[in-house]
Amino acid sequence: HLMGCMLSAASCNQWLCKTILHTDSYSAEQAQIQPEALGNNHVYFLPYLMGERSPLNDPDARACFVGMNMATTPAEMYLAVMEGVAFAIRDSVEVARSLGIVIDSSKICGGGAKSPIWCQMQADITGLPVSIPKEKEAACLGAAMIAAVSDGRFAGYQEAADFCVEMLHQYQPNPSARLEKKYRRFCALYNAALAINAIE
């Protein structure tokens, strides 16, 4: 079993909206982000608000914005947060690929699955088709499926999944050179921050 687990993903979105922008309207904030801005944003965000697990294993990692200037808008900060989370997810995907594991698709559930722009962004950044299940709260559904298999209602987990899991939509990746360049810069930022933190 290989698992890449972030400590703060959607919670970065929540932190920005509630603590910095003082709003509960995620959709209104995201509506200000234009599709052509993806990959063209000059702001970067390291999403390590609580340290990081995969693949850094660094409890002392910290979040930061980089690249802001006097013209930076809240929409650009919001986009940077969403991109930063997607880049961090790609970090774990790249570890799996380096081990020879072939990943041909991905699924998103939970609160992040409600955001079309974030789902498309994750498809573009990872280079994987991203599917959205009908049941957004997959943890609850998974627990119910395990119980149903244990109770003998299904012969196995695959049968339970085939019966219970329905996909609503799939986002196709649109990779670009500018996103690749931004991902490489994102990777360099953690090492730069690490060097700064090491200064006594």
Side-chain angles (χ1 to χ4, degrees):
H1 175 68
L2 178 67
M3 181 175 72
C5 185
M6 292 179 64
L7 278 171
S8 23
S11 55
C12 290
N13 184 29
Q14 182 182 52
W15 166 81
L16 180 70
C17 282
K18 293 191 173 181
T19 306
I20 306 300
L21 302 178
H22 304 292
T23 179
D24 289 325
S25 181
Y26 303 121
S27 57
E29 295 299 323
Q30 291 178 23
Q32 299 179 52
I33 299 172
Q34 302 301 315
E36 59 270 19
L38 302 184
N40 289 321
N41 189 16
H42 61 276
V43 182
Y44 294 79
F45 179 72
L46 294 182
Y48 311 133
L49 288 169
M50 298 185 289
E52 187 56 291
R53 283 187 281 200
S54 305
L56 304 179
N57 296 319
D58 182 0
D60 297 320
R62 290 294 176 262
C64 63
F65 283 103
V66 175
M68 295 193 298
N69 58 33
M70 288 292 287
T72 298
T73 65
E76 289 171 326
M77 294 175 68
Y78 203 131
L79 176 55
V81 167
M82 297 172 77
E83 284 181 333
V85 170
F87 287 142
I89 290 172
R90 178 169 168 181
D91 279 345
S92 289
V93 171
E94 292 301 328
V95 169
R97 287 172 173 159
S98 74
L99 296 172
I101 297 171
V102 177
I103 305 173
D104 54 17
S105 64
S106 181
K107 298 176 182 67
I108 296 180
C109 58
K114 299 174 184 175
S115 169
I117 192 170
W118 212 355
C119 293
Q120 185 62 58
M121 191 183 304
Q122 294 193 53
D124 295 348
I125 287 172
T126 61
L128 297 169
V130 170
S131 297
I132 308 302
K134 181 177 181 180
E135 177 53 62
K136 299 293 191 296
E137 300 305 324
C140 299
L141 179 60
M145 288 164 53
I146 291 171
V149 171
S150 299
D151 193 45
R153 294 175 186 269
F154 297 106
Y157 296 115
Q158 188 61 56
E159 182 183 329
D162 292 342
F163 183 84
C164 298
V165 179
E166 178 183 351
M167 293 298 158
L168 287 181
H169 183 71
Q170 187 177 71
Y171 293 85
Q172 295 299 324
N174 299 305
S176 69
R178 66 178 186 270
L179 277 174
E180 282 300 306
K181 182 178 181 180
K182 189 156 192 188
Y183 173 64
R184 292 196 301 272
R185 288 180 171 178
F186 170 86
C187 293
L189 280 177
Y190 168 70
N191 290 325
L194 197 64
I196 292 170
N197 289 337
I199 297 173
E200 296 294 338

